[in-house]
Amino acid sequence: MTTAQTIPLIGPGIDRVDGPLKVTGAAHYPSDFSFPNLAYAALVQSTIAAGYIRHIDTTATLAAPGVLAVITHENAGQLGQGPVGNLGAPPPPPLQNNHILHYGQHIAVVVAETLEQATAASRLLTVDYDTTEALFDLTNPKAEVLTNQWGLDKQRGDVAPNMAIAPVRVEATYTTPDETTNPLGLFSTVAIWSGDTLTVHDTTQYPVHVRATLAAAFGVSEEKIRILVPFVGGSFGAGLRPWPHVILAALAAKRVNRPVKLTLTRPQMFTSIGHRPSTVQHIKIGASNDGTLIAIAHEGTSSLGMEDNNIEPVSAGTAAAYACPHVSTRDRQVRLNIPSPGSMRAPGEAEGNFALECALDELAYKLKMDPLELRLRNDAQIHPKSGLPWSSRALRECYKQGAELFNWSLRTPAPRSMRDRNFLVGYGMAAVSYHWYQPPCQARVSLFRDGTAYMRSAATDIGTGTYTVMTQLTAELLGLPRDHVRFDLGDTEMPPAPNQGGSGLVNSLGSAVHAACQQLLLAFLDVVSHDIASPLRGCHLEDVTVSGGRLHRKNDPIQGEKYTAILARHGLDELTVDGENTPAQPQKMGIAPAGAFGAKFVEVRVDPDLGLIRVTRVVSAIDGGRILNEKLAASQIIGGAVGGIGMALLEEVVSDAETGRIANATFGDYLVPVNADVPRMDVIFVGESDPLNPMGTKGVGEVGLVGIAAALANAVYHATGKRIRDLPITLDKLLS
Ligand code: MOS
């Protein structure tokens, strides 16, 4: 058969197969779904950060026009806790007691005939609180601290004595703020009960976990619940967990016995679907005079909600980033009265990389060494911990090609040494070693009598291009024209898929698609195994290949026949089979699994009088293994880099120190990069196919964001001589 390995390393950039649906408005996002007799839900959220509800008065709300129900902790009933998924357990179910843990906690849901009525009535609710002391600060000694929650802390060699004798040392503290995930598409849930059967249209990156969570919440079996999510209006990690509002939508629908739609408002998006937690990171690096790393100690502290969990390994990536004999990484989490943090594109690694790659820049200046040279000298050509060869690694090629395209060699080392008219010019760079992720996944494929194929899996496409690359893969692997292939997702009736996250879906779903295509060819060969009319009789998988809708012998392409001919002769309407990816076992193969690598180069121009920073160039050189669709992959890297500019220069959730109220919970006040903030972005893909899955991919969903903040901060230092270790780098920090 055609193996995916024969598809060109960098696949041509075809357009999104779902593009026309999106631009014509035919793509239905969760909030677009409407049903006869639909009712609308509006959330009421806590206006204090810690304490208890003493009394909640629903009289006026219930009397308001159109109101059908008001649900509070007093009448919600018991809701079960959802099970552990790939990212741990979902947040605890809502409205189970009168305890307030953070500002913006859902304390009631109002259901009415129209959205306007529900919203108006929700404002009539009055609540008496008993307020208790709220903890907002990562350094508050009263806050509970969790250590090494995921067992990812690393200890290699003997850090303390070797750090002490290192001839050159840097030590610094870096801080990053809360950032909101807030994709453009408002998160929405539409729930419809029919008896004890529940159908839910939901904004999610993980439909099967939403199903499991709702099953647990309502005590019904998973077979009774169907989650649908054909399109998502951006997500960036916010949809990885089944959040409490999803349960509330289903609860409201059950209560009024009608379909109910619950769409978060823009301010509610800041408190209800996770956010990148704030971090404080201490980092120490010791090196010899020639720049050889001797020891690294990296400790990351991030914020956590009071009764929830969130996987945010901030320092863990440092252990595998460089060839350094003595390394310790430690992660701590501090429980605060804040809305639950959650994954936001490259969770943990975006923040951890900022500290490590800035600290290396500081070390380079101390050594009077080029920052790129410092990284090359300490390149981890084998996996630093296991000593095993990487499954693939082209980071050196990233450095080389990125530096060439960027013209890094034109950089003069001294800060403030490069100018353009009145502007100070700075060049900065950073490296990225992203982790590997390839969870289990299944897919189902049918080949029909009309010669078309239909591949499906309960995965999602949050805008990354899953529809497109899975269509490409299926067409290639079955030897069909692309317009004969339909790929579908976003429905829990399809075979189970993991979360679309951790840059892992192309690896795991692609492998399942690959397996399903193999199973389909096996099924066709099985049908003709004793068929004297078939030139393929007695063939094994390794004897055949596919093209033009036809299976044929490898050694004699004339000997073959069309799928449709086989189906027709045997009186079959279709053949349908399932495929499941077999998770790779890199340790058994004696290799260290590699995610994507990247080298990021950023140029800034800084107005020395105003402190105004303009990003003028960005080059991202990426080793993502085989790139199935260069156009979409480059789009991922560029989108990530825009997020990186936001992280470096603009993004910060500002909360009131008294109440925890978010002061900038609108797109007018919370700044993200707009077109005028984003320069030309160049993306280069280097490297080769990775052996840990049949496509050779490594996933490029997150590597694009990581490293931009550090490269940009390093460029700002080069331009100005001012080291800003606290994100975002705003002009007040630069001028003070
Ligand atoms: Mo990503 S934060 O794994 O959606």
Side-chain angles (χ1 to χ4, degrees):
M1 72 180 283
T2 305
T3 68
Q5 299 284 352
T6 63
I7 300 170
L9 178 62
I10 295 187
I14 71 157
D15 291 343
R16 288 174 192 274
V17 297
D18 50 334
L21 289 177
K22 286 187 166 174
V23 298
T24 58
H28 284 131
Y29 296 86
S31 62
D32 293 332
F33 285 90
S34 200
F35 297 92
N37 211 24
L38 181 68
Y40 293 82
L43 293 168
V44 181
Q45 298 184 309
S46 167
T47 54
I48 66 163
Y52 297 86
I53 297 171
R54 193 186 314 141
H55 181 65
I56 192 159
D57 186 349
T58 60
T59 320
T61 308
L62 278 167
V67 169
L68 301 167
V70 181
I71 307 170
T72 69
H73 69 279
E74 290 173 347
N75 64 354
Q78 203 186 344
L79 299 161
Q81 165 70 42
V84 170
N86 283 356
L87 295 166
L95 303 185
Q96 295 302 287
N97 54 48
N98 68 340
H99 200 171
I100 299 297
L101 303 173
H102 64 87
Y103 179 92
Q105 179 178 321
H106 309 320
I107 56 170
V109 57
V110 178
V111 196
E113 295 288 347
T114 69
L115 176 59
E116 291 74 15
Q117 288 172 332
T119 306
S122 71
R123 295 190 179 137
L124 301 175
L125 201 89
T126 54
V127 188
D128 279 339
Y129 295 104
D130 283 325
T131 303
T132 58
E133 186 191 0
L135 305 175
F136 295 128
D137 191 335
L138 274 177
T139 59
N140 190 325
K142 290 184 192 164
E144 181 191 0
V145 178
L146 309 179
T147 55
N148 195 21
Q149 274 214 85
W150 319 284
L152 293 172
D153 287 5
K154 295 283 189 313
Q155 194 68 47
R156 175 164 87 234
D158 203 355
V159 172
N162 287 288
M163 190 72 77
I165 58 165
V168 185
R169 284 192 295 267
V170 293
E171 176 169 4
T173 299
Y174 299 86
T175 52
T176 65
D178 293 305
E179 288 177 52
T180 187
T181 322
N182 243 303
L184 201 55
L186 296 173
F187 271 41
S188 187
T189 307
V190 184
I192 308 125
W193 288 91
S194 167
D196 64 348
T197 303
L198 173 63
T199 305
V200 177
H201 299 264
D202 187 38
T203 310
T204 178
Q205 295 169 245
Y206 198 179
V208 298
H209 202 216
V210 173
R211 179 178 60 182
T213 301
L214 290 174
F218 296 100
V220 300
S221 73
E222 290 194 25
E223 295 78 57
K224 300 270 189 191
I225 302 179
R226 183 179 191 184
I227 312 299
L228 293 160
V229 53
F231 289 96
V232 175
S235 198
F236 312 111
L240 288 171
R241 307 182 73 202
W243 295 102
H245 73 270
V246 179
I247 298 174
L248 289 180
L251 179 63
K254 198 176 169 81
R255 191 61 53 94
V256 301
N257 198 22
R258 286 169 61 170
V260 166
K261 183 184 292 192
L262 193 168
T263 303
L264 298 180
T265 64
R266 185 58 67 191
Q268 288 169 354
M269 293 278 283
F270 282 76
T271 54
S272 310
I273 52 172
H275 64 273
R276 193 189 293 291
S278 55
T279 71
V280 175
Q281 300 177 59
H282 298 290
I283 196 156
K284 276 191 240 179
I285 306 182
S288 59
N289 286 310
D290 69 355
T292 306
L293 293 177
I294 296 172
I296 304 175
H298 187 174
E299 183 186 270
T301 300
S302 57
S303 52
L304 188 64
M306 272 299 167
E307 287 183 4
D308 190 15
N309 240 314
N310 173 48
I311 300 182
E312 196 79 14
V314 173
S315 69
T318 293
Y322 292 97
C324 176
H326 307 284
V327 177
S328 71
T329 69
R330 279 207 312 142
D331 274 321
R332 310 160 75 242
Q333 287 188 306
V334 179
R335 287 209 184 274
L336 300 175
N337 291 103
I338 57 169
S340 235
S343 294
M344 178 168 168
R345 206 169 194 176
E349 303 203 40
E351 306 97 289
N353 176 281
F354 166 67
L356 175 64
E357 293 294 315
C358 285
L360 282 171
D361 200 66
E362 301 201 35
L363 179 66
Y365 279 97
K366 219 162 183 179
L367 291 162
K368 297 194 168 33
M369 189 173 189
D370 185 285
L372 178 55
E373 177 57 32
L374 174 64
R375 282 155 177 97
L376 281 165
R377 179 151 310 177
N378 295 286
D379 188 43
Q381 292 184 42
I382 54 171
H383 190 274
K385 180 155 177 267
S386 62
L388 296 171
W390 295 92
S391 55
S392 63
R393 189 176 199 272
L395 183 53
R396 293 184 83 91
E397 198 58 27
C398 292
Y399 290 136
K400 183 167 173 287
Q401 291 198 31
E404 264 171 35
L405 182 64
F406 187 82
N407 272 323
W408 180 258
S409 60
L410 298 181
R411 178 181 185 268
T412 54
R416 303 181 78 92
S417 64
M418 294 176 77
R419 281 180 185 258
D420 174 26
R421 290 163 294 151
N422 285 335
F423 296 106
L424 297 165
V425 175
Y427 287 9
M429 60 85 56
V432 189
S433 298
Y434 210 74
H435 71 255
W436 177 78
Y437 187 51
Q438 197 169 299
C441 185
Q442 296 177 28
R444 179 169 302 148
V445 64
S446 302
L447 207 138
F448 300 110
R449 195 77 162 256
D450 64 0
T452 62
Y454 174 41
M455 179 74 76
R456 62 275 200 196
S457 174
T460 58
D461 184 343
I462 56 174
T464 46
T466 310
Y467 275 114
T468 307
V469 292
M470 295 306 147
T471 303
Q472 286 179 272
L473 267 179
T474 305
E476 290 281 347
L477 293 167
L478 296 178
L480 292 171
R482 208 172 290 132
D483 63 2
H484 280 44
V485 172
R486 183 157 72 94
F487 174 79
D488 218 345
L489 48 66
D491 181 349
T492 51
E493 308 276 275
M494 296 169 179
N499 50 316
Q500 174 160 46
S503 303
L505 193 67
V506 76
N507 302 330
S508 57
L509 177 56
S511 299
V513 163
H514 188 273
C517 289
Q518 280 210 336
Q519 291 303 320
L520 186 67
L521 299 193
L522 281 170
F524 271 96
L525 291 178
D526 192 47
V527 167
V528 299
S529 61
H530 299 292
D531 178 357
I532 47 166
S534 176
L536 298 168
R537 172 168 41 100
C539 277
H540 298 287
L541 195 56
E542 52 277 17
D543 305 328
V544 297
T545 185
V546 290
S547 64
R550 199 169 161 272
L551 261 165
H552 50 80
R553 288 181 187 259
K554 264 187 197 154
N555 56 8
D556 185 2
I558 306 291
Q559 298 292 318
E561 59 180 332
K562 292 211 159 212
Y563 299 116
T564 48
I566 297 172
L567 290 175
R569 198 167 61 249
H570 290 266
L572 297 166
D573 290 333
E574 64 179 81
L575 279 182
T576 295
V577 296
D578 285 1
E580 181 167 8
N581 74 335
T582 323
Q585 303 208 306
Q587 286 75 12
K588 281 198 180 150
M589 297 162 76
I591 51 180
F597 297 96
K600 309 296 177 75
F601 298 85
V602 172
E603 180 191 84
V604 296
R605 276 175 166 62
V606 182
D607 183 321
D609 302 317
L610 301 177
L612 208 62
I613 302 166
R614 287 278 172 227
V615 182
T616 43
R617 283 191 298 146
V618 176
V619 170
S620 303
I622 306 292
D623 165 16
R626 169 176 278 114
I627 301 299
L628 299 174
N629 182 323
E630 189 178 21
K631 185 175 185 181
L632 293 188
S635 168
Q636 282 299 299
I637 302 303
I638 289 168
V642 173
I645 292 173
M647 178 178 181
L649 299 180
L650 299 167
E651 293 190 54
E652 177 171 25
V653 172
V654 179
S655 300
D656 182 88
E658 289 292 311
T659 63
R661 174 183 168 272
I662 296 177
N664 58 345
T666 75
F667 275 174
D669 297 308
Y670 182 93
L671 302 183
V672 295
V674 297
N675 281 349
D677 301 308
V678 178
R680 182 199 165 95
M681 304 252 200
D682 288 305
V683 180
I684 319 167
F685 290 111
V686 305
E688 56 190 11
S689 180
D690 187 274
L692 289 183
N693 68 54
M695 291 83 53
T697 57
K698 297 202 282 191
V700 294
E702 290 164 303
V703 66
L705 186 148
V706 190
I708 297 292
L712 212 162
N714 295 340
V716 167
Y717 178 77
H718 181 232
T720 65
K722 195 131 188 173
R723 180 68 66 181
I724 309 294
R725 302 186 182 90
D726 175 44
L727 293 182
I729 305 172
T730 46
L731 48 82
D732 52 310
K733 292 174 191 167
L734 213 48
L735 291 177
S736 66

